[in-house]
Amino acid sequence: MKSVIDIKDLSTKELEEIIAVAEDIIENPEKYAHKCDGKKLATLFFEPSTRTRLSFEAAMYELGGHVLSMSDAMSSSASKGESVADTAKTVSCYADIIAMRHPKEGAPLVAAMNASVPVINAGDGGHNHPTQTLADLLTIHREKGRFDNLTVGLCGDLKFGRTVHSLINALIRYKGIKFVLISPDELKVPSYVKNEIKDCGLEYVQTKDLEEFMPQLDILYMTRVQRERFFNEEDYLRLKDSYILTPEKLATAKEDLSIMHPLPRVNEISVAVDDDKRACYFKQVLNGKYMRMALILKLLEVK
Amino acid sequence: MNIDSIKNGFVIDHIEAGKGMEVYSLLALDALDCSVAIIKNASSRKMGKKDIIKIDAKIDLDMDILGYVSPTATVDVIEDGKLCEKKKMTLPEKLINVIFCKNPRCITTTEQELPNIFKLTNRELHEYRCAYCEAKASK
Ligand SMILES: [Zn+2]
């Protein structure tokens, strides 16, 4: 029995297997419609994230399974002082697999250590969100057909943005990846992440200038600058509009650039970009569901 | 008290100078009834200065704590007044309830009954990270 708490819990081989299954689901959805008949997914959300919860629930329904939703997790067990460990043990009695979101970093790991069924981390504070990375990887694979020899621009909040760190962690497993790290000084990639890139013998450039590097990019991954990461409103307001992607800025970009964003966006990508054929962020949402389906199948060991 | 006066016990030698008291408190030596000696700033050929702790009892010595606080330390095991074993320390892979996570967003801050687990993530830099939130241990 395996849980997925961190993208690092999946080997490169496992990642590629999950991607292959997701691509097969897209081609042959009917083949998978009853794979999880009689199985139950429990969604334990200790902080609201409707979009992630819906994605997990849609994934399970499309596999023919059922969903037990503890949507009132915040108001019930936690407020009665029940520990994450006890909740995990209790829910293991009802469900075959658990998806947990929690505001405290490491809570899903505690659940995995105590549950008797697999646990998927659906986001723990600013720490890990592995199924977002799975959605990103499937999107890159479907748009580019490969993971190697790509110039990947990451733009916005690269300091606190967990999706960025875990995407980097997944991509450094491949050859010929070049990272362009675009952020204001206050929101630069932490040095341990840069060291991971260097240790894999890969290149990166750090810049404040999105436009200068635009023509080189195969992928542009935009992120939002989150209010809750700042101690004062002034800093937030000053930095939040640092990079706004507009059709004008895309003028010099490659024809086959893929524009990605983990969503929800605030205003980092102008709505005018949505009709550009290079915009992939809504496809990313759909890909997230397919990857969650493939991950559930993998963890439930359904063939 | 010199080494000859220990019948059955330990001499923890080559402790980094200044770390003796930290070793003493983390190993909870204050709770012992037997005689315990701390020697501060003893001169050492190899280290210049070092701390030494002598314990005159066969206690259950936590080598992980010792290895974490002072990886340079060596432990002489004394039986019947004779040196019978010399142990070298290394940084332990895992520390349980030795150091505590200071990240306010970590699950260990709200669920106090959880063991604080730290894992060695970089041996050269002596870097430990919380098993739950991956925050770096602050020394
Ligand atoms: Zn922690």
Side-chain angles (χ1 to χ4, degrees), chain A residues 1-4 95-99 112 115-120 299-300:
Chain A
M1 201 263 315
K2 186 180 163 96
S3 288
V4 173
D96 300 286
I97 186 165
I98 295 171
S116 54
V117 299
V119 175
I120 302 172
L299 297 181
L300 289 178

Side-chain angles (χ1 to χ4, degrees), chain A residues 226-239:
Chain A
Q226 287 177 288
R227 187 186 297 262
E228 59 266 33
R229 302 276 170 250
F230 290 88
F231 289 109
N232 72 60
E233 187 76 7
E234 236 169 84
D235 285 351
Y236 168 71
L237 292 174
R238 185 168 50 83
L239 292 170

Side-chain angles (χ1 to χ4, degrees), chain A residues 127-142:
Chain A
H127 184 218
N128 279 318
H129 194 10
T131 57
Q132 177 64 54
T133 307
L134 293 179
D136 298 344
L137 291 174
L138 179 60
T139 305
I140 293 172
H141 197 254
R142 292 190 74 199

Side-chain angles (χ1 to χ4, degrees), chain A residues 6 8 82-85 102-107 109-110 113 127-128 192, chain B residues 103-111 113-115 117 129 131-134:
Chain A
D6 184 323
K8 292 177 218 153
E82 185 177 51
S83 67
V84 170
H102 200 288
K104 288 286 176 178
E105 300 176 8
L109 177 67
V110 175
M113 289 160 76
H127 184 218
N128 279 318
Y192 78 91
Chain B
N103 173 8
R105 298 177 304 277
C106 180
I107 185 68
T108 56
T109 60
T110 41
E111 300 209 352
E113 79 284 9
L114 282 173
I117 306 172
R129 285 181 186 272
Y132 304 99
C133 71
E134 296 176 90

